[in-house]
Amino acid sequence: MKLYQYIVAGLFGAVVLVSCTDLDEHPYTFIDPSSYYENEDQLNSALNTVYNSYRSLSNNGGTFMRLEGCTDYGQPNREGNKNNINDINAWKYQNQENNAGTFTNVWNNALTCINRANNVIAQFEAATMDETLKKRAIGQARFLRGCSYYWIVRLFGGAPIIKTVTTDLSNLNFPRATADEVYNFIIEDWEYAEENLPVKGTSGYDVWRASQGAAQAYLGNLYLYRASMAGSGGYKTFDKALLEKAKGYYEKVINSKVYELEPDFANLWCSLNGDNARNNKESIYELQFSTISGQRNGMHQNFGMFADSCYPEEFVSFGKTISTNGGGSYYYLRTGPSVEAWLSYDAADQRLKVLISEGTYSKGGSMVHCIYHPEDLGSLKGSEGWGSCCPGNIKFHDFSKEARTALGSGNNFMMMRYAQVLLDYAEIQNCLGNQASALQYLNMVHQRAGLPSVTAADAMAKYKDDVRADISNEADAIDEAIFVERGWEFIGEGVIYYDELRTDRLGKRVGYFVQKYNKMSFNQVLPLEFVPSKTHLWWIPKSDMSANSDLVQNPDNKEDARYIKYKQ
């Protein structure tokens, strides 16, 4: 896609707000901003071009599927290497410009959103209107621009910093800034958003819009990520000054008392709690969807359950049969929760409510009752008719009749929730030597799952002999316990890849998993071809390199020499 297309989309895209989820686009002729942005309805109409664009960036089932498939928490789940996911799990196609399409759409869609944000920011700055509303609008656009760059910088590294909409078609080239420069630009955007956006729940401000708390939570996450990547290895090498920055932002979120954990994990998900789950008290920033055309959630299609047009009539969770009343959104499972991850859960863990291994579905007019058994080695149908290679995940699914008619999910999806703040904060406290506090915040999430509190001694006993961990003291054990908790909590949510990368666990854990299940002859698990390291960056898509001659491609990635054994 040419950069010109990004620019045109940014200049001429606009939306008319029909409902909180209707962010569809309706082109309009360019109007001078001083006459267009005169009231809040016009303001929101323009802003929705950016919300729509960011939703398109994030609403990509292929991206979440691939993020999970690059780790030991995702497993290939279809015959015939659909969407190259078997190769992705084996880390094939490294140091190639196409990357088998691994994250191509991220770069493209992020730049589209950035240019739309730039257009809206420029027009708001020129408009004559209430100053508070103007800053609030700019704050939302800058929050989403920062989020778009955050996608790019973590996957690809440095990127062009584009602050204005470019209309000179003879000069479309932008050089790459360094990763640190991009991070600093994101920080400026999110600091502005923190200063000018309302608190979630403020009267007259839509609950789904970017808020002050969202900016603070994302700043905390960014500083933790930078602190992690500044180190050469695990948590002992993290940058302490950056950790303190992260700690400060997370304390703002925690002390605000605006957010809290949902007591029942099942209540977080529309698939189990319906519309009551939308924009719930744990949600810090959430993407809005509905079953109407152009507003559907695409993330459910590739990291879910079963396959093709097999709609579950009912499924079993903790021994309880839940009926879908003949509903269900279309899905075609490419990657699912790995068997290794599924088996690691405690049997009493309430989070298993969304990881399904028993159900009934209709196929060819017949009803099939199926149960997943790992001893079937991921064979489709297995011994009891299970329709996929691994257990199911229903975090994304919409089991309504409307969704079945529309062949698409209308469920919302949380991009940042309070549980992540608590676990990030626990990790930071442990890194800074505050083990008691780390356990306190870890246990808030752990106990919500219906499990007894974790002690340092518990963590030592559980992880000291795990070949994937490096445990020599209680702080090491607590760090491992927090990491594993994150996997149980966020499986399928696009979080785990970044956690494994920044904590220097990625090559070791995916290598261990792929080798183990390949040697077991598990269906679709191919031999590992490349061992990723902490410094791994994906290559910029070839089309974007061609469109911008000032771009310089990332250097070849080097394998993590410590774990070459997992290729054997």
Side-chain angles (χ1 to χ4, degrees):
M1 181 181 292
K2 302 296 185 182
L3 187 56
Y4 173 68
Q5 292 174 277
Y6 307 145
I7 295 165
V8 170
L11 274 171
F12 298 105
V15 297
V16 176
L17 185 64
V18 175
S19 71
C20 69
T21 57
D22 184 2
L23 303 180
D24 202 8
E25 298 178 302
H26 304 278
Y28 70 98
T29 303
F30 185 80
I31 300 174
D32 179 72
S34 63
S35 62
Y36 184 68
Y37 298 129
E38 295 175 341
N39 58 54
E40 194 163 7
D41 286 342
Q42 293 172 340
L43 175 153
N44 287 334
S45 178
L47 267 175
N48 285 343
T49 64
V50 193
Y51 277 104
N52 179 347
S53 190
Y54 186 69
R55 185 178 65 177
S56 296
L57 163 60
S58 304
N59 180 27
N60 187 316
T63 297
F64 275 74
M65 169 187 74
R66 287 172 170 84
L67 282 171
E68 218 74 9
C70 287
T71 76
D72 52 319
Y73 283 85
Q75 181 177 314
N77 197 57
R78 288 293 300 278
E79 302 287 356
N81 199 10
K82 298 286 187 177
N83 296 99
N84 301 103
I85 193 59
N86 301 9
D87 291 336
I88 288 167
N89 191 238
W91 281 80
K92 193 176 180 179
Y93 305 118
Q94 293 307 305
N95 303 324
Q96 296 181 28
E97 288 181 324
N98 61 10
N99 292 328
T102 309
F103 298 113
T104 300
N105 290 335
V106 172
W107 183 280
N108 295 342
N109 292 339
L111 286 184
T112 299
C113 187
I114 289 162
N115 276 279
R116 290 189 180 186
N118 287 338
N119 176 50
V120 169
I121 290 166
Q123 295 194 50
F124 281 136
E125 287 175 341
T128 301
M129 60 186 301
D130 179 84
E131 195 66 21
T132 298
L133 290 180
K134 178 189 289 192
K135 289 182 177 179
R136 181 180 293 184
I138 294 172
Q140 292 174 73
R142 291 186 67 169
F143 173 79
L144 295 169
R145 182 173 70 179
C147 288
S148 300
Y149 270 116
Y150 200 39
W151 271 104
I152 288 176
V153 73
R154 288 179 297 169
L155 289 174
F156 301 102
I161 294 178
I162 306 171
K163 301 180 182 180
T164 60
V165 177
T166 301
T167 58
D168 180 2
L169 302 185
S170 66
N171 181 22
L172 297 180
N173 295 334
F174 297 90
R176 292 183 75 177
T178 67
D180 282 341
E181 288 169 338
V182 174
Y183 280 123
N184 289 335
F185 186 63
I186 297 170
I187 289 168
E188 290 176 6
D189 273 351
W190 288 347
E191 286 179 340
Y192 183 95
E194 180 195 15
E195 182 178 350
N196 291 286
L197 292 184
V199 172
K200 180 183 177 183
T202 296
S203 178
Y205 188 74
D206 295 319
V207 70
W208 56 270
R209 293 186 179 276
S211 66
Q212 181 185 76
Q216 291 166 342
Y218 271 87
L219 281 163
N221 187 261
L222 180 149
Y223 276 112
L224 173 58
Y225 196 84
R226 286 188 81 186
S228 306
M229 297 305 289
S232 59
Y235 79 99
K236 294 175 184 176
T237 71
F238 293 177
D239 185 291
K240 297 298 191 293
L242 293 173
L243 287 174
E244 289 287 355
K245 285 271 195 180
K247 177 174 174 285
Y249 278 110
Y250 278 139
E251 286 173 349
K252 289 182 180 181
V253 178
I254 293 166
N255 294 335
S256 74
K257 306 298 183 185
V258 172
Y259 309 98
E260 56 185 276
L261 294 176
E262 284 282 348
D264 186 340
F265 186 77
N267 287 344
L268 292 170
W269 314 104
C270 293
S271 54
L272 296 175
N273 197 26
D275 286 342
N276 291 328
R278 297 183 189 273
N279 304 300
N280 57 67
K281 58 190 175 183
E282 187 168 327
S283 175
I284 295 177
Y285 185 66
E286 182 166 324
L287 301 178
Q288 311 296 306
F289 298 98
S290 76
T291 54
I292 64 176
S293 179
Q295 312 302 319
R296 296 167 192 157
N297 184 338
M299 293 185 290
H300 75 287
Q301 289 182 312
N302 293 306
F303 196 90
M305 60 185 296
F306 299 131
D308 294 326
S309 56
C310 303
Y311 298 96
E313 300 292 330
E314 58 188 34
F315 54 88
V316 180
S317 178
F318 280 64
K320 179 181 177 182
T321 300
I322 302 172
S323 176
T324 66
N325 298 312
S329 49
Y330 180 77
Y331 36 84
Y332 43 92
L333 180 55
R334 302 298 194 237
T335 298
S338 73
V339 176
E340 182 78 9
W342 179 61
L343 292 175
S344 72
Y345 283 82
D346 188 290
D349 196 319
Q350 296 296 305
R351 290 168 293 203
L352 284 170
K353 289 178 177 178
V354 299
L355 298 182
I356 306 302
S357 58
E358 182 177 357
T360 300
Y361 65 95
S362 58
K363 184 70 172 178
S366 300
M367 298 299 294
V368 180
H369 185 76
C370 51
I371 299 174
Y372 180 76
H373 289 299
E375 57 266 29
D376 289 328
L377 302 182
S379 298
L380 295 176
K381 304 306 179 185
S383 59
E384 295 195 53
W386 188 254
S388 57
C389 297
C390 51
N393 164 46
I394 60 170
K395 285 182 176 179
F396 304 101
H397 281 296
D398 184 347
F399 292 118
S400 70
K401 291 183 178 179
E402 294 80 7
R404 184 164 190 168
T405 300
L407 296 179
S409 171
N411 288 351
N412 284 4
F413 183 71
M414 289 171 283
M415 296 295 290
M416 173 71 73
R417 55 188 177 92
Y418 192 52
Q420 185 167 357
V421 169
L422 296 177
L423 290 177
D424 281 3
Y425 189 71
E427 180 183 349
I428 292 163
Q429 289 284 39
N430 189 59
C431 289
L432 295 175
N434 305 318
Q435 275 68 54
S437 180
L439 287 168
Q440 175 190 348
Y441 286 91
L442 163 63
N443 280 318
M444 290 173 68
V445 177
H446 192 72
Q447 290 178 293
R448 190 266 295 273
L451 303 172
S453 62
V454 177
T455 67
D458 293 334
M460 280 290 289
K462 188 174 181 67
Y463 300 113
K464 64 182 177 66
D465 296 324
D466 190 329
V467 297
R468 296 165 295 179
D470 184 13
I471 309 297
S472 60
N473 54 49
E474 289 189 346
D476 294 343
I478 293 170
D479 179 72
E480 187 68 15
I482 293 167
F483 167 78
V484 173
E485 194 74 36
R486 297 172 74 92
W488 292 330
E489 184 72 20
F490 301 118
I491 191 169
E493 297 183 51
V495 173
I496 297 166
Y497 171 83
Y498 299 114
D499 285 339
E500 293 199 351
L501 180 73
R502 68 178 180 80
T503 63
D504 198 29
R505 288 179 167 97
L506 183 57
K508 175 167 55 177
R509 289 190 65 96
V510 74
Y512 171 88
F513 164 74
V514 171
Q515 184 186 72
K516 175 180 176 180
Y517 283 83
N518 176 255
K519 286 187 174 182
M520 290 169 61
S521 298
F522 225 88
N523 192 29
Q524 303 301 305
V525 180
L526 306 179
L528 191 69
E529 295 197 19
F530 182 90
V531 185
S533 70
K534 182 172 181 174
T535 60
H536 189 275
L537 292 173
W538 296 89
W539 276 26
I540 299 170
K542 185 176 182 179
S543 59
D544 293 276
M545 293 294 297
S546 299
N548 182 355
S549 61
D550 283 352
L551 286 180
V552 177
Q553 187 59 273
N554 286 324
D556 284 358
N557 287 292
K558 305 299 182 185
E559 292 192 86
D560 195 326
R562 297 170 296 177
Y563 307 116
I564 295 296
K565 63 182 181 181
Y566 289 124
K567 293 175 65 177
Q568 301 170 354

